[in-house]
């Protein structure tokens, strides 16, 4: 698939995103997804880390090696990462009720970021949590739980959310089968002590350890 093919696929797929949760949605286990690259070689490791939402404790994890030949193109990261992330999910012994991606969902130029790709591929409710904004926002109040709209092209695409008092906000958006209020609440529940959700932190640690082991 070329970058032009990928862009066309995103445009076709964006209307398939469902911005509401399934009936009776009450997730207990959330899986964080992350990828780390081995320099510029195309080699990578993908991690899935399952966290109990009530306790923020790690309950299952999987790490898989991978490789990508897809070029580095802003807005098309899913085409580099998705195949390996799906293999990491498949390697879990626990079936998560929710996925939390280290990347955006509908907060994307074509409203179809990594979290949307993952959600549509798996059918699991998915949230995008980005460290950097796509679009514009006014800084939220300094208290934990404060948020302001994230706006791109005149459209609200997510929220700038303060997960801890006085820390920089993170950027939450719908991936698939979740609404923004539910996504905001779940991200706060998964972030009891740190800026990033425990799902993201756990997946990042797994990637770093796997990279270190591969280089030693």
């Amino acid at each position: 698939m070329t970058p032009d093919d990928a862009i066309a696929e995103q445009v076709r797929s964006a209307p398939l995103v469902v911005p509401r949760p399934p009936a009776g949605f009450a997730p207990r286990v959330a899986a964080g997804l992350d990828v780390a690259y081995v320099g510029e070689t195309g080699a990578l490791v993908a991690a899935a880390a399952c966290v109990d939402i009530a306790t923020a404790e790690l309950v299952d994890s999987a790490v898989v090696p991978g490789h990508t030949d897809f070029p580095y193109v802003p807005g098309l990261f899913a085409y580099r990462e998705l195949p390996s992330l799906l293999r990491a999910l498949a390697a879990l012994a626990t079936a998560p009720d929710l996925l939390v991606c280290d990347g955006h969902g509908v907060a994307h130029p074509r409203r179809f970021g990594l979290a949307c790709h993952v959600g549509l591929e798996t059918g699991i409710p998915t949230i995008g949590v980005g460290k950097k904004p796509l679009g514009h926002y006014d800084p939220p109040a300094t208290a934990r739980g404060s948020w302001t709209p994230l706006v791109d092209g005149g459209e609200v695409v997510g929220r700038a959310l303060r997960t801890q008092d006085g820390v920089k906000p993170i950027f939450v958006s719908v991936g698939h089968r979740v609404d923004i209020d539910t996504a905001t609440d779940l991200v706060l529940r998964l972030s009891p002590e740190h800026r990033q959700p425990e799902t993201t932190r756990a997946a990042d640690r797994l990637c770093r350890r796997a990279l270190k082991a591969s280089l030693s």
Side-chain angles (χ1 to χ4, degrees), residues 93-178:
T94 303
D97 307 305
L98 173 74
L99 304 179
V100 181
C101 290
D102 183 27
H104 295 292
V106 298
H108 180 273
R110 290 168 290 281
R111 309 297 182 253
F112 199 76
L114 173 63
C116 300
H117 280 265
V118 173
L120 256 67
E121 285 285 341
T122 63
I124 302 171
T126 306
I127 299 170
V129 180
K131 300 181 186 72
K132 297 180 180 179
L134 179 138
H136 304 280
Y137 69 99
D138 293 324
T142 58
R144 168 181 160 86
S146 301
W147 61 267
T148 54
L150 180 64
V151 180
D152 179 59
E155 180 181 356
V156 175
V157 296
R159 289 177 177 174
L161 175 65
R162 197 87 68 180
T163 52
Q164 302 298 326
D165 292 350
V167 303
K168 294 189 296 184
I170 57 176
F171 303 93
V172 179
S173 60
V174 168
H176 185 51
R177 302 189 74 203
V178 70

Side-chain angles (χ1 to χ4, degrees), residues 39-63:
E40 303 298 324
T41 65
L44 57 84
V45 291
C50 286
V51 170
D52 184 297
I53 295 174
T55 65
E57 294 180 356
L58 185 69
V59 295
D60 192 12
S61 64
V63 181

